[in-house]
Amino acid sequence: MSGAARRLADAGVDAARAEAEQLAAYVLGVPRGRLALADGFGPEQLRRFEELVARRADREPLQHLTGTAGFRHLELAVGPGVFVPRPETELLAGWGVARGREAADRPLVVDLCSGSGAIALAVAQELPAARVVAVERSPEALRWLRRNAADRAAAGDRPVEVVVADVTDPELLADLAGRVDVLLCNPPYVPRSVVVPPEVAGHDPDEAVFGGADGLAVIRPVVRRAAELLRPGGVLGIEHDDTHGTAVPELLAADGRFTSVTEHHDLAGRPRFATASRRPDGDRADAGPAWQTGSS
């Protein structure tokens, strides 16, 4: 194990020891917490473990090697063609769950840029009375989204509705206009000039990572469409790059149809997502409201 951890550390992998243990547990078919109680590798298991360590040292994502990614209370299937959900996004999902509980007995929740379905499926599991709509356009990502949605429905969670659409379409979800209680979005938001880690550059879909030159190419139309989809008093949460802690709240404030614009930080203290409420009167203010910084 120590040799595998050293190899991963030398390759630049963070938390190398923990990842070596996760790979070992995966090969042995035991939880990582029970790894010390497991029998040693058999010859074939050792070969498999060494192969996986070599692939991880080449910076293939750990989640691609194990085929799953943890997200809140879920284990989601992931692999080539879909963005691997990050722990930071769990904060946005949790915010959405909390707002959904406050919204209505049967809230309507929309997840834009759904990818693997992480946010939508977490909401559906934790808010079983909610109607949850997941929107995705990528054929590759849709295969993972539908697989995860089917798996969770088979496990007893409320089924989510999968809609194939481009979130920048000005007529997106026209039948839901003015009816949505909670709208959540983890869009592509990395500015094109940013150098991303090898796991991202070589494996996450480009269209799920980069949001144009300034990283806001998808966020701008999402803000506009969210104002049309939300009911008066409905709420919006958008994840963004840590360089957008001012830019995204300013976009929301400048739109004029939102109040209570708030910036939230992740557990590392970085700006991570912005939230806002649709004006109760449904109108557009002459000037954008002020915004504030909130906690994670």
Side-chain angles (χ1 to χ4, degrees):
M1 190 67 64
S2 58
R6 278 197 304 274
R7 181 170 185 180
L8 295 182
D10 290 345
V13 174
D14 293 333
R17 177 78 187 188
E19 293 208 10
E21 291 177 353
Q22 286 177 268
L23 290 174
Y26 171 68
V27 170
L28 291 171
V30 300
R32 182 183 165 204
R34 297 187 62 83
L35 192 58
L37 302 177
D39 295 333
F41 293 117
E44 179 58 25
Q45 290 173 322
L46 180 59
R47 183 200 65 77
R48 179 65 174 148
F49 176 65
E50 291 175 343
E51 174 192 336
L52 291 174
V53 169
R55 289 169 61 185
R56 184 67 187 103
D58 285 338
R59 305 303 290 273
E60 190 171 342
L62 175 69
Q63 296 85 353
H64 283 200
L65 300 178
T66 64
T68 63
F71 189 84
R72 290 182 69 82
H73 309 295
L74 303 174
E75 284 291 327
L76 301 171
V78 295
V82 72
F83 184 80
V84 174
R86 275 32 176 200
E88 294 86 352
T89 306
E90 295 185 33
L91 298 173
L92 174 60
W95 179 88
V97 168
R99 300 293 81 74
R101 288 196 178 111
E102 298 169 355
D105 291 338
R106 298 182 181 277
L108 172 56
V109 181
V110 171
D111 172 31
L112 302 183
C113 303
S114 192
S116 66
I119 292 176
L121 294 169
V123 172
Q125 182 184 65
E126 297 175 51
L127 285 179
R131 176 188 175 189
V132 181
V133 178
V135 179
E136 179 56 55
R137 75 172 189 179
S138 163
E140 293 80 11
L142 279 162
R143 285 195 286 270
W144 294 101
L145 171 55
R146 288 180 171 130
R147 173 180 171 181
N148 285 318
D151 288 348
R152 293 315 311 164
D157 291 352
R158 182 182 176 95
V160 304
E161 301 170 35
V162 176
V163 174
V164 183
D166 186 332
V167 302
T168 67
D169 181 352
E171 298 301 316
L172 175 72
L173 300 177
D175 60 322
L176 300 183
R179 297 169 52 197
V180 176
D181 295 295
V182 181
L183 190 149
L184 305 170
C185 184
N186 179 19
Y189 56 65
V190 177
R192 176 56 68 178
S193 61
V194 172
V195 177
V196 295
E199 291 86 348
V200 177
H203 299 279
D204 277 327
D206 187 90
E207 68 173 344
V209 175
F210 295 101
D214 63 358
L216 299 171
V218 177
I219 290 177
R220 288 189 184 93
V222 163
V223 168
R224 291 192 293 269
R225 191 57 187 155
E228 301 293 335
L229 291 172
L230 290 168
R231 64 166 174 79
V235 295
L236 164 69
I238 304 179
E239 185 168 325
H240 56 67
D241 191 69
D242 57 14
T243 63
H244 292 152
T246 298
V248 173
E250 285 183 345
L251 284 174
L252 291 164
D255 179 273
R257 290 174 288 182
F258 295 100
T259 63
S260 304
V261 178
T262 304
E263 177 58 36
H264 302 256
H265 293 82
D266 61 23
L267 297 179
R270 298 167 298 194
R272 184 53 59 199
F273 67 99
T275 62
S277 298
R278 185 69 170 87
R279 285 173 57 89
D281 58 15
D283 292 333
R284 186 192 297 268
D286 293 334
W291 59 274
Q292 61 184 347
T293 298
S295 67
S296 60

